[in-house]
Amino acid sequence: MANFPAMPLWTDAYIADTQHLSNEEHGVYLRLLMFAWRTKDCSLPDDDKRLALMVGVTAKKWLKLKPVIMQHWDCSDIGWTQKKQLKVFQAVSKSVNQKRAAGEASWKAKSLKDNELDATVVITEEVTGRVTAGQRTKTKTNIQKIDTKVSTKKGTRWTDKNEVADDWIQWAVEQGLQIEDAYIQAASFSDYWIAISGSKGTKLDWQATWRNWIRNTMQRKPSTPIIRAVEDPTVIDSIVADLIEKNGRGI
């Protein structure tokens, strides 16, 4: 699967740049944009036979179309690239990598905190084994009081002010989801729980609810992508919209 199945396309910029193309040339040009977007470096091979196969025309027909179509592209060591498309691709890649790095850092920090907590519990148990009977009873009483407070914690509802945190997304990716699928599941998760009414929509631990959501989703579809991001182009747009706007109008 492509790194970013959904390709941002600014229709006003596209129309302005391609008004001189015929309907056939439009179809060929747009198809090449899609093929380039799905590669790791957003490029097309410098091979006329392969390009003809990609757009579904004969080699002779491609040689007639090429001068008009490829005037929008630059050829370099990596192949053919479209300047505006490459700029958007690089912006999307940068934004996603930043979010992935932030999620990993948050996840590592949480894991370190959990490990420190586990170490504290072990030390407490060792010390408790050496105290007097009276002190041991007091320790047990304190633990019981803490447990009582936790058990009386009230659940909360998920609202449009809540959002799935980056470390939650990272956890889903570590379970085997593609990052774009994790963001799609985050949107579905929010929409579902906002719509649920009554006591069913109240949870004590929303992070645990998210983990169960991901596990159940992966069990239902163990060998296929959960949702194709191409069916929801707003996924990529929502991640990098601000960044793309700063870098240009788009393809």
Side-chain angles (χ1 to χ4, degrees), residues 84-214:
K84 287 185 178 181
Q85 183 188 45
L86 183 60
K87 195 172 185 179
V88 173
F89 185 88
Q90 291 170 343
V92 171
S93 299
K94 181 179 179 181
S95 179
V96 170
N97 288 336
Q98 287 175 340
K99 285 188 174 289
R100 182 181 291 115
E104 289 176 352
S106 178
W107 184 260
K108 288 179 181 178
K110 183 178 182 300
S111 298
L112 180 60
K113 184 177 179 180
D114 291 343
N115 290 337
E116 291 174 349
L117 180 60
D118 291 342
T120 302
V121 172
V122 171
I123 293 172
T124 302
E125 290 177 349
E126 291 176 351
V127 172
T128 302
R130 295 193 294 270
V131 299
T132 64
Q135 290 173 323
R136 187 179 298 113
T137 301
K138 183 177 180 180
T139 301
K140 290 182 178 180
T141 302
N142 290 337
I143 293 174
Q144 289 174 351
K145 289 182 178 179
I146 293 173
D147 291 341
T148 300
K149 291 181 179 179
V150 172
S151 64
T152 58
K153 180 181 176 181
K154 293 183 178 180
T156 60
R157 294 188 57 81
W158 190 272
T159 70
D160 54 7
K161 294 182 180 180
N162 294 102
E163 61 179 18
V164 175
D166 287 340
D167 58 324
W168 297 16
I169 293 290
Q170 181 60 28
W171 182 87
V173 172
E174 291 176 354
Q175 306 314 301
L177 281 184
Q178 295 289 330
I179 189 167
E180 59 267 26
D181 290 334
Y183 278 109
I184 292 171
Q185 286 304 312
S188 298
F189 178 87
S190 293
D191 289 343
Y192 177 83
W193 288 109
I194 289 173
I196 293 295
S197 61
S199 59
K200 185 179 178 181
T202 302
K203 300 295 179 183
L204 290 174
D205 187 340
W206 280 108
Q207 187 172 4
T209 304
W210 164 256
R211 291 196 296 265
N212 286 332
W213 175 280
I214 294 300

Side-chain angles (χ1 to χ4, degrees), residues 7-47:
M7 180 180 74
L9 179 66
W10 273 250
T11 54
D12 56 343
Y14 177 86
I15 292 173
D17 290 345
T18 59
Q19 286 182 343
H20 62 290
L21 298 182
S22 67
N23 287 339
E24 181 183 34
E25 290 166 345
H26 268 294
V28 171
Y29 179 66
L30 188 56
R31 191 174 179 85
L32 289 177
L33 286 175
M34 292 180 182
F35 274 113
W37 183 263
R38 295 181 61 82
T39 65
K40 65 179 181 179
D41 51 13
C42 199
S43 68
L44 296 172
D46 185 18
D47 185 329

